[in-house]
Amino acid sequence: LVAVLVATFLPNLGANNAIGISAAAALIVAYIIFKPKLSTPFKDGVRLNDNVGSTGILPQVLSALGSLFTAAGVGAVIAAGVGALIPEGNHLIAVIFYCVGMALFTMIMGNGYAAFAVITVGIGYPFLIAQGANAIVVGALGLTAGYCGTLMTPMAANFNIMPAALLETKNKYRIIMTQVPVALIMLVIHIILMYVLAF
């Protein structure tokens, strides 16, 4: 609520600052409700960081890698390769390539945002948006199609490996194995929705 209010009424601060202010407000509210020792949040923050380890900074590193891939022209290379496989004017095949490509590249990168820039430049824009697809639908469903890949990869360590470590599961891939059927069903639903809603 605080983040939305700050972003709405103080737009000059930007979204990141709105989230930071809301986190500080949440901490104050938690102090009021639970009345812990002043040092408790800091000790628990250190404990959680120690449990997570270097995995905690993985999302930022992977996002930076996605930007680097985009700047290096990986999207253009993907467009050239995919262009030979998609029959001209076949929107269904283009949607399948885009959604599955988003999921696969997210599995490689471990991050939907990193994959989004590269795959949208390589497939989403030239084969969908430039062919008349609704850009808002393509963008929204494309990013969440990438999240289907997040559910199926150990590269998304902050979502899949770290929780397994914190829950002390016997198999560190147990969370991924549980999520795969749901992710595949959701990916098919994304393909259908994008094909129906974007054109």
Side-chain angles (χ1 to χ4, degrees):
L1 178 63
V2 171
V4 170
L5 290 174
V6 171
T8 302
F9 295 108
L10 300 169
N12 293 337
L13 290 177
N16 289 336
N17 288 327
I19 291 170
I21 291 168
S22 69
L27 182 61
I28 292 166
V29 170
Y31 268 116
I32 293 168
I33 294 172
F34 301 111
K35 299 175 178 54
K37 292 180 182 175
L38 188 63
S39 62
T40 299
F42 304 101
K43 286 181 180 175
D44 279 352
V46 170
R47 179 187 57 78
L48 185 60
N49 251 347
D50 288 345
N51 284 344
V52 171
S54 59
T55 302
I57 64 165
L58 191 59
Q60 293 86 347
V61 173
L62 292 172
S63 291
L65 186 59
S67 299
L68 181 66
F69 274 30
T70 303
V74 174
V77 172
I78 291 172
V82 170
L85 301 173
I86 298 177
E88 192 170 339
N90 192 322
H91 296 148
L92 178 60
I93 299 295
V95 167
I96 291 170
F97 266 81
Y98 180 58
C99 290
V100 173
M102 272 298 300
L104 290 175
F105 208 70
T106 298
M107 290 174 74
I108 294 166
M109 301 293 291
N111 186 297
Y113 289 114
F116 183 72
V118 176
I119 300 300
T120 300
V121 166
I123 302 173
Y125 183 78
F127 300 104
L128 292 171
I129 296 169
Q131 305 295 324
N134 184 315
I136 295 170
V137 173
V138 170
L141 289 174
L143 186 56
T144 52
Y147 294 150
C148 296
T150 301
L151 296 173
M152 300 186 283
T153 179
M155 285 298 291
N158 53 318
F159 293 108
N160 301 330
I161 302 301
M162 182 181 73
L166 294 176
L167 294 171
E168 298 178 358
T169 59
K170 290 180 181 177
N171 183 342
K172 67 180 179 178
Y173 301 115
R174 169 52 50 200
I175 291 173
I176 296 171
M177 291 161 55
T178 305
Q179 293 173 160
V180 165
V182 175
L184 292 174
I185 291 167
M186 290 304 299
L187 186 57
V188 171
I189 291 170
H190 274 79
I191 291 168
I192 294 167
L193 285 176
M194 189 179 294
Y195 181 67
V196 171
L197 299 176
F199 292 100

